Amino acid sequence: MTSRPIRRTCNVVWVSFYLAFIAMALMVRGRLPAAVLWRSLSGMRWFRSRFRQRLDDFSPEQGTCWVANVAGGPISDRDARSRLQLYEDKRPIGPPHSLHDDIRTLGGGRFSHWANHLYFSTSDGSDPRSNGRTYEVVEQ
Amino acid sequence: MTVAASLDQDCASTLKVCRAPLNNLFVCPQTGAALTVQRGALVSSDGRRYPIVREIPRFVTDDKYVGSFSFEWNTHTDTQLDAFNGSASSEAIFAEKTALRPVDVAGKLVLDAGVGAGRFSDVLSRWGANVVGIDLSYAVEAAHANFRDRANVMIAQADIGKLPFADGTFDLIVSIGVLHHTPSTETYFKALVPKLKPGGRIVIWVYPNEGDYKIRNYWIPYTSRIPAEAFYDWCRWFVPWAARRRESLLVQVIHRLFPFSNQGLGMENDILDTFDGYSPSFHGIHSNAEVTGWFADTGLAEIKALPVLTSVTGIRPSSTGPAGTASTGSG
């Protein structure tokens, strides 16, 4: 007779393999978003150097929110949890992963990395196009 | 005293049938005939017998397609019951999904359709309602044990599709997170409505057709085939493993593809909820418009979609008019 701990371990192993197989089958059939897995794998730091980009093209969004383009590569909050930190004149600002409504209404340096865009606010609500400061995102 | 008489007396006391207002509630689900307690069973005048096993009236012979719930609720008998875990989370969820307050239910006769281990019956009971909780699964064993000392709760094993109650019995019917686990959410919902008294209210919440519910819908045909014990062992390993690595990219990707519970109500709750999310045979997902449409079809009035998506409430009119008389609102 198989002891309970051994049976439990066997159950964990075979169910893990079974679920992984089903996940792949569902992605092949287009039921699950395979792009999430692909973006995540390609965004893993194991496969490339630390991401760093100076931001220089800002568009006003709403309220205190501005939008800047971020090159593809790092994982964004759309797919999992972005690891980008925004620096204003080399000082980190935030918090990251903020709600876009909070960025628009509360500002204060809040930002969100969403797909290939950075939705952000400056620390004092000033216009990043004319306040003379530098803005840079660096992967943590 | 004869053995039969002794059994009858025993059944009567354990069934709480002597305690008004839960007195003489059950009827034959096949014919609607009245039932009397005889020799450890409820018996109709035409001889149909519904046994009382471990003090619970049984109107079904087994748990049919809800074996996972039998396993789940007899494993986590009191994890989600406020009365046992000391939190008020179930009460908050119940209030949010039903928009009911204690004053709305106190003294009312309430059917909890799909009682499980009794999470919401516990709330209703503490709010002063007289509650009848039914479930197709053997979760009734856990519910009965949880409410053994409460005079205002009665538990029975029965099918929502063949309810052992006369029409017009209940002041309030609630079914929160249950009907989507039946073969047809709509059909089983419509089986509940006639059991309302005129002027009685029904509130249901079913899975919405979006977000995690939609993703789980793709998984269910495969995960529901995994034997309950094996899948539960996996959940007991995986959920704590993932919780310890919540910030890791791997776990975040898994969560996108296989949404697992992270409700902030404790690890046992998350294990239970993950198992609950993927193990049932049926997993219906519905839109607000669809659900309010069912309410209108059955002639319910004052239909209102509550702030929680796919939570809908309505009232059975005192004199049932055509379906078109029902008004639809939104919360």
Side-chain angles (χ1 to χ4, degrees):
Chain A
M1 180 186 282
T2 316
S3 70
R4 182 75 185 106
I6 293 173
R7 199 165 77 232
R8 188 179 300 133
T9 303
C10 290
N11 283 338
V12 167
V13 171
W14 84 256
V15 172
S16 296
F17 277 104
Y18 176 76
L19 293 177
F21 175 77
I22 297 301
M24 283 190 282
L26 288 173
M27 282 191 276
V28 167
R29 293 178 59 195
R31 300 294 196 183
L32 291 180
V36 169
L37 189 62
W38 173 246
R39 278 197 297 264
S40 302
L41 287 173
S42 61
M44 280 181 163
R45 287 210 44 223
W46 304 335
F47 302 109
R48 54 180 178 72
S49 58
R50 179 189 295 258
F51 180 86
R52 177 186 291 266
Q53 181 186 338
R54 179 157 177 179
L55 307 175
D56 49 16
D57 186 15
F58 309 109
S59 309
E61 204 244 9
Q62 284 180 47
T64 55
C65 183
W66 297 82
V67 182
N69 290 328
V70 176
I75 301 294
S76 84
D77 286 331
R78 187 185 65 177
D79 301 321
R81 192 172 174 85
S82 169
R83 290 167 189 257
L84 291 192
Q85 172 61 53
L86 175 61
Y87 289 83
E88 182 183 62
D89 273 350
K90 301 192 183 308
R91 278 188 313 106
I93 58 174
H97 322 295
S98 293
L99 295 174
H100 293 190
D101 266 351
D102 287 350
I103 301 170
R104 291 169 189 136
T105 57
L106 302 175
R110 288 172 171 78
F111 70 92
S112 162
H113 174 206
W114 194 260
N116 288 345
H117 301 290
L118 189 83
Y119 294 79
F120 77 104
S121 54
T122 57
S123 59
D124 59 357
S126 59
D127 184 339
R129 297 171 298 185
S130 58
N131 63 10
R133 298 173 197 159
T134 60
Y135 290 89
E136 187 177 34
V137 282
V138 180
E139 191 172 17
Q140 303 300 296
Chain B
M1 182 183 289
T2 65
V3 173
S6 168
L7 278 172
D8 288 353
Q9 196 175 60
D10 182 46
C11 290
S13 63
T14 56
L15 257 181
K16 305 176 183 175
V17 292
C18 55
R19 290 170 176 160
L22 297 178
N23 192 7
N24 299 326
L25 277 179
F26 298 112
V27 300
C28 174
Q30 308 291 334
T31 65
L35 300 173
T36 55
V37 180
Q38 291 175 27
R39 299 190 179 198
L42 291 163
V43 182
S44 69
S45 52
D46 61 357
R48 293 173 198 266
R49 290 176 60 84
Y50 301 98
I52 300 163
V53 181
R54 289 185 290 281
E55 306 178 355
I56 304 166
R58 314 283 177 155
F59 296 94
V60 289
T61 52
D62 60 32
D63 59 355
K64 296 180 182 171
Y65 53 87
V66 289
S68 67
F69 291 108
S70 297
F71 177 89
E72 171 181 331
W73 297 121
N74 284 295
T75 302
H76 286 267
T77 54
D78 54 19
T79 301
Q80 292 186 330
L81 267 72
D82 290 351
F84 290 86
N85 64 25
S87 79
S89 58
S90 290
E91 186 168 313
I93 291 168
F94 182 78
E96 189 183 17
K97 287 185 173 168
T98 64
L100 294 169
R101 300 157 301 164
V103 69
D104 300 319
V105 307
K108 301 276 177 67
L109 183 58
V110 182
L111 174 64
D112 183 357
V115 66
R119 177 186 203 179
F120 298 127
S121 283
D122 170 45
V123 176
L124 286 161
S125 161
R126 287 187 283 109
W127 284 4
N130 296 298
V131 187
V132 181
I134 61 150
D135 206 293
L136 179 58
S137 79
Y138 293 110
V140 291
E141 312 285 349
H144 178 70
N146 287 335
F147 301 125
R148 189 186 292 271
D149 59 353
R150 293 199 205 178
N152 64 343
V153 182
M154 169 96 80
I155 302 296
Q157 189 175 11
D159 187 344
I160 293 174
K162 285 186 180 171
L163 288 163
F165 308 106
D167 287 355
T169 297
F170 294 98
D171 300 304
L172 170 67
I173 296 176
V174 295
S175 186
I176 309 300
V178 174
L179 295 168
H180 44 240
H181 293 312
T182 63
S184 165
T185 312
E186 178 181 0
T187 304
Y188 280 67
F189 162 72
K190 288 179 176 176
L192 288 171
V193 175
K195 307 305 172 187
L196 278 175
K197 287 177 183 168
R201 176 178 293 279
I202 183 166
V203 191
I204 70 167
W205 175 74
V206 296
Y207 287 159
N209 58 357
E210 62 175 45
D212 291 355
Y213 300 101
K214 203 168 177 177
I215 294 177
R216 289 212 306 251
N217 202 39
Y218 298 132
W219 282 95
I220 285 286
Y222 309 99
T223 52
S224 63
R225 294 179 192 175
I226 304 172
E229 185 184 309
F231 188 54
Y232 183 75
D233 282 346
W234 184 84
C235 291
R236 273 218 90 84
W237 164 76
F238 172 75
V239 176
W241 178 87
R244 287 194 297 273
R245 295 162 179 79
R246 201 163 289 151
E247 295 297 311
S248 86
L249 185 59
L250 174 65
V251 168
Q252 289 167 30
V253 170
I254 293 173
H255 192 270
R256 284 292 304 276
L257 301 175
F258 183 89
F260 51 88
S261 183
N262 177 21
Q263 296 185 328
L265 298 175
M267 188 53 67
E268 287 301 303
N269 180 79
D270 286 344
I271 292 167
L272 161 64
D273 202 53
T274 301
F275 178 85
D276 182 277
Y278 289 93
S279 56
S281 302
F282 297 103
H283 177 96
I285 52 175
H286 307 281
S287 66
N288 251 353
E290 205 179 344
V291 180
T292 50
W294 304 336
F295 275 65
D297 288 347
T298 51
L300 290 164
E302 296 181 40
I303 301 165
K304 188 175 181 189
L306 300 172
V308 174
L309 196 59
T310 53
S311 272
V312 181
T313 183
I315 290 178
R316 186 178 177 193
S318 296
S319 58
T320 306
T325 59
S327 64
T328 305
S330 63

